[in-house]
Amino acid sequence: MGQQITVLGAGAGGLTTTADLTIQGHDVTLFELPKFESNLEAIRSNEGIDITGAANEGHARPATVTSDPAEAVEDTDLVIQVVPNFAFEPFAEAVGPHLSEGQPFVLLSANTMSALEYRQILDDVGAPEIRLGETPSLAYAVRKTSPSSVHVLGIKRELSVAGLPAEHSSVLAEQMDDVFPFSVSAAENVLETSLFNANPVIHPVGALLNAGEIESPDDEYYLYQNVTDSIGRVMSRVDEERAEIGEALGLEVKTVGELFHDWYGIGENEYYATTTNSLRTSSIHGPIQGPDSLDHRYVTEDVPYGLVPLSEMAAACGVETPTIDSLIQLAEDVHHTDFRADGRTLDDCGIDATDRDALLRVATRSTPVSSLAEACR
Amino acid sequence: MGQQITVLGAGAGGLTTTADLTIQGHDVTLFELPKFESNLEAIRSNEGIDITGAANEGHARPATVTSDPAEAVEDTDLVIQVVPNFAFEPFAEAVGPHLSEGQPFVLLSANTMSALEYRQILDDVGAPEIRLGETPSLAYAVRKTSPSSVHVLGIKRELSVAGLPAEHSSVLAEQMDDVFPFSVSAAENVLETSLFNANPVIHPVGALLNAGEIESPDDEYYLYQNVTDSIGRVMSRVDEERAEIGEALGLEVKTVGELFHDWYGIGENEYYATTTNSLRTSSIHGPIQGPDSLDHRYVTEDVPYGLVPLSEMAAACGVETPTIDSLIQLAEDVHHTDFRADGRTLDDCGIDATDRDALLRVATRSTPVSSLAEACR
C-alpha cells in the first residue's frame, strides 16, 4: 500500500485510474502533455477528480498534477500509461528520457502489439531498458461526465499483465496486484495480451455494420445494444480468427463472451454465454452511447492498432484472416485511408522476422529487439 | 405492334412486363412453374393484372395464363424471362425442351454473367440454339401490391440488350425496341450487360452496412434513403472496381450515378451527380421499403449472382477487387454460407478459360461454349 504511482494521460481512463488509486491510498501523480494542459487546468480548479460508479467513489485529490515529464516519472514506483495508441509517440518522446533503468511501466490501454511498438519507440528516443508491460485492455468501462469527473460503468474483476521481455511478467503482476483493487495475474507474453483485447473484435464490426444508422442525423446509437444476430456472427468470425492465431502461437485464446464472463461476470449464470448474447445483454456496456460517426476510435484506433497488427501476426504465423482483412478493407474504403500503411505493422515494432518462431522469440526475448532482428535474418 | 410474347415468371417483374405489354397491344402469355400455380390462380380470379404507377396503367387481361411450358413458349415471337437468378435451372428445365432453333429469348432480370450460365443450363437440358440475350437489369422499379396487382415506381427510359453470341444483339434490340415502350439499344456483348447491372453495387453494401438497423425489430428500413456518406463511399469503390474490370475488357463502364441518370433522369440537372447523391435522392427508389432482414435477395441473390461472378471476371482479367471480395466474405460470415461455391462461377458457365481474351471470345462466340472451352485449353 501507499506506492508512488504516475498515471500518464488525462483522458477518461487516466482520470479514473488516478482517482481510483488515490482513494485507494496511493501517492499518485497525473501527467498530461503540455499541449493538453487544459485537461489538467480543469482538475486543478476542481481541486481533484470526482468519481462515481463501480470503482471507489468520491472526490480524489491526486498528490501531483503536472505537464512536466521529469517531475512526473522520476523516482516513481510504477508508471501507468493510459493514452490512445495513436498518442504513443509524443508520450514516449516526452517521458522516455526521464525514465530509469528497470523502472516498472505498464501500458494499461494497450491494443494489439502495443508494448512491442512502444519498446521500439522508446529505443528510438534513447530511453533506458525499463521494465515494460501491457494489459490486454483498460481496467474500467468508463465515461467522462465533465473535464474533471468520471462515471465508472464497470470494473474488471481480473486482468493480466505481460512483460516485455516476458521474464518481467510476474514481478509486474505482483506489483499491480498490490496497487489495484482487482486481481492481476501474469500473462504468458505480450502476444497473449495482444490477443486478449476485445476491442478489435467488437468495435470495428459494430461500427461498420451499422454505418447507416450511426450516420443518420437523428438517431442516438448504442453499439452494444445493437449487436444483432448478423453482427454477432461476424464478431464471432473475428473471434475464431483470433483463436487460430493464438493456436499457431501455442496460446489458448478465449472468446469475447468468455472474456466478458471473466472480466465482468456477464453470462455467469448461463450454461453457454455466446459472444453475441454477452455483448447484447451487458448492463455495463448497454448504456455506452456512440459512436456518433465512423470517424471514431472504434474505427480509427481499433482498425489500425487492433485489426491491422492482428492481421500482421496472422501472416507471420501462416494463418489466414479473411474476415479481419475484409473489415480492414471496408474501413479503408469508408475513410479513404491506408490503415495498413498507417497502422501498426511488424516493421513498426522493429520486427523483420516473418515466421511464428521469430515472433515468439521477440515476445519472450531477453535481448533487445534490434539484435534479435539481426539474429533472425 | 401486336407480337406474340411469352413472359416467364409471375413475380413483380413478370406481372409488370405482362401487364405493360398487354396494354401496349401485344398478345401476351404468362407462364409460371406448376409449383407456383397459386400465383396464376390469383390472376385468373382477378381476371387479369391491375397495374398502377409509372408504366401503362389499367386492368390488363393477358391472352394466356398457364403453367404448361409447351403451351407457353411454342411458336411465340419473343420469350422474356423475369425470374430470380437462383430459379434459372427449374425454368430452363421446364421450357428448354419446347424452345425452337433461333427463337428470341431475353433474360430481363439478369444479374452478372446470367446469359452465360443460362446458355450452359440450356445446353445441359438439350435445348436448341436459341437467340439468347440479356439486359443489364429489369426495366421497371416495381413492387407487388397484391398477388394480382403491381405498382410501378419508375420505368427506365432506355435499356440495352446483348446477344449471346454478340452477333444477335442488334436483331434482339430491334425487336425489343418495337415491343417495349422505351428505347432499347444493342450492347457490345454480355460482358457489358453483366457490368452494367447496378444491383450488386447498391444492394449488398446497403444491406451489410446497415445490418443492425435492418435486424432491429421495430424499425422500418428504406435502403436507398440510408445511403449515407460512408455507405456511398463503399458503393463507389465497388463502382471503381467494376470500371477496372470493364477497362480490362475494353468496355467503358458507367458509374451507378451515371446509369441512374441515363435510366431514370436522376441528377439530370446537377453538374455532377455522384452515385451517393443519385441513390439517396431518387424519388423512385426512396419509397422502396426493405430489406427487413439480411436473408433477402439483396444479399442472397446479389452476392452469389452479382459480386461473385464480378470477382470471377476480375480474376480472369487480372484485376484485383478487394472491396468486392470483402463484401462477399462478410456476407458469407453473416449467412454461414459459401457464396463463392454456391454462386455463379466461370466454371458454372462452362468457361474453363482463365484469361481476358478467352472471356471475350466466349462472350462474342459464334461457336458453342463447349468447343470454345476446348480450344482455350
Side-chain angles (χ1 to χ4, degrees), chain A residues 31-189:
Chain A
F31 169 81
E32 180 56 279
L33 293 172
K35 70 181 284 200
F36 298 115
E37 183 79 38
S38 62
N39 285 342
L40 301 182
E41 288 303 343
I43 293 158
R44 288 193 192 104
S45 43
N46 189 43
E47 292 181 1
I49 301 159
D50 295 302
I51 179 169
T52 54
N56 290 303
E57 293 197 298
H59 181 75
R61 302 183 66 156
T64 312
V65 172
T66 181
S67 61
D68 175 348
E71 183 189 8
V73 300
E74 277 170 11
D75 303 321
T76 196
D77 297 325
L78 172 64
V79 182
I80 299 170
Q81 181 176 293
V82 197
V83 309
N85 282 254
F86 45 73
F88 277 14
E89 269 190 52
F91 273 88
E93 283 164 7
V95 303
H98 306 287
L99 297 170
S100 50
E101 193 82 20
Q103 189 171 20
F105 188 116
V106 174
L107 304 171
L108 196 64
S109 62
N111 209 311
T112 308
M113 307 203 310
S114 290
L116 285 165
E117 185 178 17
Y118 205 74
R119 175 69 265 170
Q120 183 66 19
I121 301 172
L122 287 174
D123 283 352
D124 291 346
V125 300
E129 275 278 322
I130 56 170
R131 194 168 287 169
L132 182 63
E134 69 174 21
T135 61
S137 65
L138 195 61
Y140 313 93
V142 64
R143 286 297 173 265
K144 259 191 182 178
T145 45
S146 86
S148 60
S149 62
V150 288
H151 181 71
V152 181
L153 297 158
I155 181 166
K156 294 190 170 71
R157 309 193 292 194
E158 60 174 60
L159 208 54
S160 64
V161 62
L164 181 68
E167 66 197 39
H168 294 149
S169 298
S170 41
V171 61
L172 285 171
E174 274 169 41
Q175 188 176 10
M176 288 182 70
D177 196 56
D178 275 355
V179 167
F180 280 97
F182 47 80
S183 158
V184 181
S185 60
E188 185 79 16
N189 54 40

Side-chain angles (χ1 to χ4, degrees), chain A residues 208-213 215-216 226 228-231 233-234 237 294 322-323 326-327 329-330 333-334 336, chain B residues 208-213 215-216 219 226 228-231 233-234 237 294 322-323 326-327 329-330 333-334 336:
Chain A
L208 288 167
L209 297 198
N210 262 305
E213 187 163 12
E215 292 182 338
S216 292
N226 278 279
T228 60
D229 290 351
S230 291
I231 290 176
R233 272 185 223 115
V234 179
R237 278 294 300 139
L294 292 199
T323 300
S326 297
L327 294 165
Q329 178 64 43
L330 294 182
D333 292 341
V334 162
H336 282 196
Chain B
L208 288 168
L209 297 199
N210 262 305
E213 188 163 11
E215 293 183 338
S216 293
D219 289 341
N226 279 279
T228 61
D229 289 351
S230 291
I231 290 176
R233 273 184 222 116
V234 179
R237 279 293 300 138
L294 292 199
T323 299
S326 297
L327 293 165
Q329 178 64 44
L330 294 182
D333 292 341
V334 162
H336 282 196

Side-chain angles (χ1 to χ4, degrees), chain A residues 99 125 191 256 271 273 348 355:
Chain A
L99 297 170
V125 300
L191 299 176
V256 164
Y271 176 67
D348 292 330
D355 69 282

